Amino acid sequence: MPELVFFSGTMDCGKSTLALQIEHNRSARGLQGMIYARDDRAGHGKLSSRLGLVTEAVEAVEDLDFYAHVVGVLTAGGRADYVIVDEAQFLTPLQIDQLARIVDDLELDVFAFGITTDFRSKLFPGSQRLVELADRVEVLQVEALCWCGARATHNARTVGGEMVVEGAQVVVGDVNRPESEVGYEVLCRRHHRRRMTAAGARAASLSPDVLPVDARAVAAPKIL
């Protein structure tokens, strides 16, 4: 039976890479898919991964009707055996309903990829609707790591290396950006709650207020 599958995870955990792998595996078996992306790092109408892989895609603009678009392709004599949507968190709840309709009415598998929560740890509306409607929600097993080495579970927005918790929900950026730019960093819950980024941790380690105590300045305990 066709399914609506939501592959979720933090930034930098390989969602786009998996999307491209699914496309490769299916196209190698003679199947043809409709690929959609939104605000990809490689530019308009692209789906790319940080590993350097890239393919053409339809830009999933805010007013795109997914169901009508796929029906239009089929009506014009085109072929669609499945649908892949990257950055699905940016979609509207109505667009998620359209993806579900593609599964139910056109009987095509739909694979949606996206992060679940924003930089404030609040659900994206598109991701919330996917959780509500998806036949399966798969959490990616390739773990992104916080700067401390713990499993990263939250996405942080940074400006000048410092975490910010106010602003528009959608601001296009990426991990590993220069500290002077708006960027993103994946953190464990503890350091997200403490707003402690990698840059902040480096600054704290260099601060004279937290330098190790000189052992010679500590009096030795008296032996009775």
Side-chain angles (χ1 to χ4, degrees):
M1 295 293 292
E3 292 183 306
L4 172 58
V5 186
F6 179 31
F7 293 93
S8 69
T10 62
M11 299 181 74
D12 211 19
C13 74
K15 297 182 299 300
S16 298
T17 301
L18 179 58
L20 289 163
Q21 184 68 55
I22 289 176
E23 159 63 12
H24 170 76
N25 290 350
R26 293 191 167 229
S27 62
R29 295 295 179 266
L31 301 177
Q32 186 169 326
M34 294 293 300
I35 305 175
Y36 300 89
R38 175 81 175 267
D39 295 330
D40 190 271
R41 64 184 69 84
H44 187 89
K46 303 288 185 181
L47 193 167
S48 67
S49 79
R50 293 185 180 87
L51 299 183
L53 305 173
V54 63
T55 191
E56 299 296 321
V58 176
E59 187 71 17
V61 294
E62 190 170 348
D63 60 351
L64 175 68
D65 185 324
F66 284 90
Y67 181 81
H69 189 264
V70 173
V71 168
V73 170
L74 297 174
T75 302
R79 180 178 173 183
D81 299 308
Y82 57 94
V83 173
I84 291 175
V85 185
D86 198 24
E87 305 293 358
Q89 73 273 6
F90 294 146
L91 304 184
T92 67
L94 177 59
Q95 287 176 314
I96 303 303
D97 287 356
Q98 294 161 4
L99 296 179
R101 188 180 178 191
I102 290 172
V103 176
D104 296 338
D105 293 358
L106 303 181
E107 298 187 348
L108 302 178
D109 284 317
V110 174
F111 306 103
F113 300 80
I115 59 179
T116 307
T117 57
D118 63 16
F119 69 105
R120 302 163 299 181
S121 69
K122 303 294 184 181
L123 283 169
F124 281 100
S127 298
Q128 178 178 336
R129 192 62 177 149
L130 272 167
V131 171
E132 293 166 348
L133 291 183
D135 297 293
R136 285 189 290 129
V137 177
E138 301 282 352
V139 179
L140 269 65
Q141 298 303 309
V142 178
E143 295 183 349
L145 298 179
C146 177
W147 60 263
C148 69
R151 177 173 175 263
T153 54
H154 290 63
N155 305 292
R157 180 181 296 169
T158 60
V159 177
E162 295 184 2
M163 179 175 160
V164 296
V165 293
E166 295 181 354
Q169 186 175 51
V170 178
V171 175
V172 177
D174 203 353
V175 297
N176 301 321
R177 303 299 299 169
E179 291 184 2
S180 59
E181 300 179 11
V182 174
Y184 289 89
E185 182 176 342
V186 289
L187 300 173
C188 64
R189 185 182 63 232
R190 178 176 63 174
H191 288 123
H192 190 276
R193 290 180 57 247
R194 296 178 180 178
R195 304 185 187 179
M196 178 65 77
T197 65
R202 288 195 300 270
S205 68
L206 296 175
S207 171
D209 294 334
V210 294
L211 288 176
V213 176
D214 188 344
R216 294 170 298 179
V218 180
K222 293 182 180 181
I223 300 177
L224 300 179

